[in-house]
Amino acid sequence: RDTQAREGENLAEMATVEGGKGRSPRGIRSSLSGMVQGAAAAASMAQSPLRRRSSSLGSGKGSLDESWEVGGKYQIKRDSMPMWVGPEVNEMVGELFKDDIVLLLRWVQVVGRPQLGFVLPAGGVPGWVPLQDWYSPGDGPVHKVKMPGSWTMGARYAVISEATVREDRMISSEWVAELVPGDEVLALELTINEGDDEDNKIRLRMKISTDSGTVGWISPQTARGEMLLHHVNLLGSEVVDIVRKSVAVTRSNSLMKLSSWKSTTSNTSEESSPQPGAKQRSYTPGQTMPWEVNGQYRVLEATKLKETHLLTSRDICRVPAGALATILRLELRPTDFCPVALVTIQGDGYLNGCKGWIRCTSTEGHDIIDFRDQHQFIKVQARLAEGERARQLREAREAEEAEDEDDGDG
């Protein structure tokens, strides 16, 4: 009880520092509406997709993450910890216990004070908790290590089950599109609805963008916790391992097909099914290349960096799988019409900053350079911001025209 009382005093003190005023809620459901509106700004609080650790923090049992990430799943360390309706600590909405896992939807930082997080427990009601102790700069009541299965804003995920895209985060908002298994989406924001579905349940909602330019909101998982998106970030280095495994599976399947006792229809094991990010052919001769100049792409297989685009050109070095390459120029090699790119390598040690030519596809036609642009999140955000500015200008112009018409009528 003493611990909970201290946390309540600390949170209330933070609300005073932030200029907030206490309020008397009319019930948990009405309070949730205000919480959701605040959590809708989660994208602006999203941290870098790259996971960073700080070796200077912690209790010697391992390093901690440098910062909190919206979409991250974290573990509760304290035996018991209350959750509050708002940062002002006016009503307790639930309780967390040691080893509980929570999903971080928003966090706030006040200089000289502990950090607060708006979290969603598994199958529970969201609420605010202190992420750190005000008297300790190290690990606090919530273990500052992002757990496997977390979401990352700016990441790219594969759809594994049919999902409906809607105009807004509310389940009852207008239909936009349908996603099918195999589609890929870019995660832009993460928040919750207001329990407006038929079961009146809180649902996790993700704002996404597709390769076709569709932008809307989906549920990355069902109300029962079934995943609709594969948890692997296809912009991360994990995609290299997926490609390697897909190559091994392909070879294994080929050997099985040579066996007379093995039916061609019996090969339906999970290991032989297509995996998100697996080895593929993104370029078809005669069609537009999937890569763009100034885009940054991951190298999926070790390849040679050459002085020129010609096949007989001298080798500069060997680029390992997983390195990133920024494309400066794209061409079709005249001898074999293979797409090649002048790139700058982003990698470790001597590789970083190396400039030269690499082929985009193998002799068999599958991708050596991944078609997924690492800068896609920045480009989509810029496009959405430009669209919003255009909308505001259009509305302002229409308002001025309407005002001029009113003046003319007068």
Side-chain angles (χ1 to χ4, degrees), residues 159 162-168 170-171 173-180 183 185 205-210 214-219:
V159 178
E162 293 182 355
T164 299
V165 183
R166 297 196 177 275
E167 188 176 19
D168 195 69
M170 307 301 293
I171 302 293
S173 63
E174 293 295 323
W175 178 92
V176 174
E178 292 291 334
L179 299 177
V180 297
D183 289 343
V185 297
R205 301 290 283 166
M206 178 184 288
K207 186 176 183 180
I208 56 93
S209 173
T210 67
T214 299
V215 175
W217 292 80
I218 66 170
S219 296

Side-chain angles (χ1 to χ4, degrees), residues 324-399:
L324 297 176
T326 299
I327 294 181
L328 307 176
R329 184 177 170 185
L330 280 165
E331 287 189 10
L332 283 177
R333 196 157 54 196
T335 53
D336 55 2
F337 299 102
C338 172
V340 291
L342 176 63
V343 301
T344 299
I345 301 298
Q346 288 78 48
D348 297 328
Y350 73 94
L351 280 176
N352 192 47
C354 285
K355 184 177 178 181
W357 291 83
I358 59 176
R359 58 187 306 154
C360 301
T361 61
S362 68
T363 53
E364 295 82 12
H366 64 262
D367 297 348
I368 290 180
I369 297 181
D370 194 12
F371 70 93
R372 305 173 182 93
D373 190 353
Q374 299 286 321
H375 295 158
Q376 184 184 10
F377 181 71
I378 299 174
K379 293 177 179 179
V380 170
Q381 292 287 61
R383 176 170 60 83
L384 294 178
E386 182 62 29
E388 179 62 20
R389 285 193 293 269
R391 184 189 65 81
Q392 293 176 356
L393 290 173
R394 183 174 61 255
E395 291 180 352
R397 185 168 57 251
E398 291 173 353

Side-chain angles (χ1 to χ4, degrees), residues 61-114:
K61 295 183 180 181
S63 58
L64 304 178
D65 294 347
E66 256 186 36
S67 61
W68 302 98
E69 288 189 21
V70 169
K73 294 182 179 180
Y74 299 94
Q75 189 174 38
I76 302 300
K77 291 179 57 181
R78 189 154 292 168
D79 291 336
S80 175
M81 183 169 66
M83 292 199 306
W84 307 96
V85 171
E88 62 272 25
V89 199
N90 50 20
E91 184 177 347
M92 186 172 167
V93 74
E95 190 173 11
L96 297 171
F97 300 95
K98 187 174 182 180
D99 296 333
D100 281 351
I101 305 300
V102 296
L103 179 69
L104 183 62
L105 296 173
R106 184 187 177 196
W107 63 272
V108 294
Q109 170 74 72
V110 178
V111 177
R113 298 291 179 179

Side-chain angles (χ1 to χ4, degrees), residues 222-281:
T222 67
R224 297 184 299 273
E226 299 168 350
M227 303 302 293
L228 301 180
L229 301 180
H230 199 282
H231 69 277
V232 173
N233 177 13
L234 296 176
L235 293 177
S237 57
E238 299 91 341
V239 71
V240 175
D241 295 329
I242 295 175
V243 170
R244 287 172 179 164
K245 291 178 181 178
S246 70
V247 172
V249 169
T250 300
R251 290 173 180 170
S252 176
N253 290 345
S254 297
L255 290 174
M256 285 192 291
K257 287 180 181 179
L258 293 176
S259 303
S260 58
W261 57 269
K262 185 70 176 178
S263 168
T264 57
T265 60
S266 63
N267 184 24
T268 58
S269 64
E270 182 179 352
E271 290 78 9
S272 64
S273 60
Q275 297 295 315
K279 181 178 177 180
Q280 59 185 321
R281 301 168 184 255

